[in-house]
Each structure stands twice: as C-alpha cells, then as structure tokens.
Amino acid sequence: MLFYMFSFKYLNSIICLLIGLIITILTIIITLKLVKNKSEQEKLLPVKISFYVLLVLEIMKIYYLISRDGGFNANRFPIVFCSLVLYTYPLFCFKKNKLSDFAMGMSVLPCLISIIFVFLTVGDADMMQNGKFNIIHFHSVIYHLIMFGVSVYLIFSKLYTFKFKKFYGISLGLASYVLMATILTVFIKGDISFFGFGFNGSPVFGFLYNKVGYFPGNLLIIILMTFVSFLLYGLIAICQKGGKKNA
C-alpha cells in the first residue's frame, strides 16, 4: 500500500488528496480566527454546516450507486466506520445535552483514524478509472477531509478537551458501534466492511476477513482500533495538558 503512494500511476489521486488537505487546513485556520471569542453555539455552526454537507454527500453517493448498479445493494447502508459521524454530530452540534461531550469524543477519534487509512490507501483507487473520473473515490476524499477538518476544529476551538478518564467510555462506544454494525451486516446480508464496501474487496481488511472469518476479523479490528485510539487519544491529551501548563 505504501508503495502505491509514491507510484506515478496514482499521482492524480495523491495530488488531489494533498490539495484537499491544504484547503482543509487553511479553512480550519480561517474558521478558528472567525469564531474566536464567540459563544459555544456560534462555534458549533461550522460543525452543523459540515453535518449537512456530509449528509448530502452520502445521499448523493447512494443515489449515484443505485443509478449505476440498477438497484440498491445492501452493502450501501451507511453503517461503515466513517458513517459514525452522521449519527454523532447531531448529538452535540444542535443542542447541548448529557451526551454532547461523549458524542464529540466519538466523532474525533474515528475521523483521525480514518484519515490515516485514507493516506495509506490513496494508491488503491485511481482518481481516473478507465479514462473516466472516479466519482466514488473523489467523494471519499472530500468526505474524509471534512471529517478530519471537523476533528481538528473541535480540538483547537477547545470545544472538546481530551482527558484519559473519558477514553474508556469512548472506546466502549466505538467497540459497541462496530459490534452492532457487525450484527446488522449479518442480519441484512450486507457484506459490509467497516473500511470499504464489500469485505471481499476491501482495500484494508479484506485479507483479514478472508483469512480468519467475519466475526473473528471484526474482533481483531476492535482490538486494533482500541489500541490505535488509545495511542492517539493519549498523545493529544498529553499535548493539550502540556499546552495548558505553558500557557
């Protein structure tokens, strides 16, 4: 996978991702300056806008796939790992409640994890496919960059504070989501991978499912996800704590 990142064959995908990342970072910087000294609800406005954009993108993707495939396929249900934000954003961006902080934590970690996989697998899908623009790959890049942007924004706007005691609940929530999605996938016979469409064709974990099976594969994914989440969460928590001491 890493080799593909440096392959000229996928140069258009790499360039698209890098340009998108630069635009995303610039947007975050400008937005943070605009919302400085604003109220919490005003600071949440960019997240609300992002939620609506992601929702429209998801609906457009499903409509496009139905048109392309001539019908709805069960593995198009939005229950993959990156679909989690469609359910967590509304829990905190519209009105503050008891689940708001938990929902933010559930939103930040998957986005940071998913952007890592986007970079690792950028060479698995060319932006141009058989001489035609690869709409699904372009959609994926935009979708994940928005998720990443919201995560970074929540951190630097100080809307979400990382604390180790929060991690256990968040990790349990993420594991529960994967478990629920696993059961639902089997129930609807959706053939869904949490990092791709059909698990037999997943660019990341397809080999895992084929080697050990669906349920054991998802168990391993939960363990891996928890470990990576802990490393990311701990690193950011330490950085935030260090930043407060120096402030």
Side-chain angles (χ1 to χ4, degrees), residues 176-206:
S176 298
Y177 177 78
V178 175
L179 181 60
M180 177 201 70
T182 301
I183 295 171
L184 184 57
T185 293
V186 174
F187 180 74
I188 65 175
K189 298 179 181 179
D191 188 32
I192 299 173
S193 163
F194 299 106
F195 292 92
F197 279 138
F199 57 75
N200 288 319
S202 172
V204 182
F205 289 117

Side-chain angles (χ1 to χ4, degrees), residues 12-131:
N12 48 33
S13 294
I14 298 168
I15 291 174
C16 179
L17 182 59
L18 291 176
I19 291 174
L21 189 60
I22 292 170
I23 293 173
T24 301
I25 292 173
L26 289 175
T27 303
I28 295 169
I29 293 172
I30 294 171
T31 305
L32 286 171
K33 288 186 176 182
L34 291 174
V35 301
K36 190 178 181 180
N37 301 322
K38 298 290 184 179
S39 67
E40 185 174 322
Q41 280 304 308
E42 289 175 310
K43 286 183 177 180
L44 283 171
L45 180 59
V47 185
K48 294 178 186 178
I49 295 172
S50 298
F51 167 69
Y52 285 123
V53 172
L54 289 178
L55 186 62
V56 170
L57 284 174
E58 188 67 22
I59 293 172
M60 289 175 64
K61 181 190 76 175
I62 293 173
Y63 177 78
Y64 167 77
L65 290 171
I66 290 173
S67 302
R68 189 192 70 178
D69 302 335
F72 182 77
N73 192 312
N75 68 8
R76 309 310 188 197
F77 277 103
I79 57 173
V80 296
F81 190 62
C82 300
S83 299
L84 178 60
V85 295
L86 295 174
Y87 311 111
T88 55
Y89 284 177
L91 293 177
F92 68 86
C93 71
F94 293 105
K95 188 177 181 180
K96 190 171 183 178
N97 55 73
K98 293 181 179 179
L99 291 174
S100 292
D101 194 71
F102 173 73
M104 280 191 201
M106 285 278 287
S107 302
V108 172
L109 281 178
C111 298
L112 295 178
I113 294 172
S114 64
I115 198 67
I116 294 173
F117 282 106
V118 169
F119 272 101
L120 290 177
T121 61
V122 66
D124 287 308
D126 197 2
M127 195 60 70
M128 298 299 294
Q129 197 170 43
N130 299 322

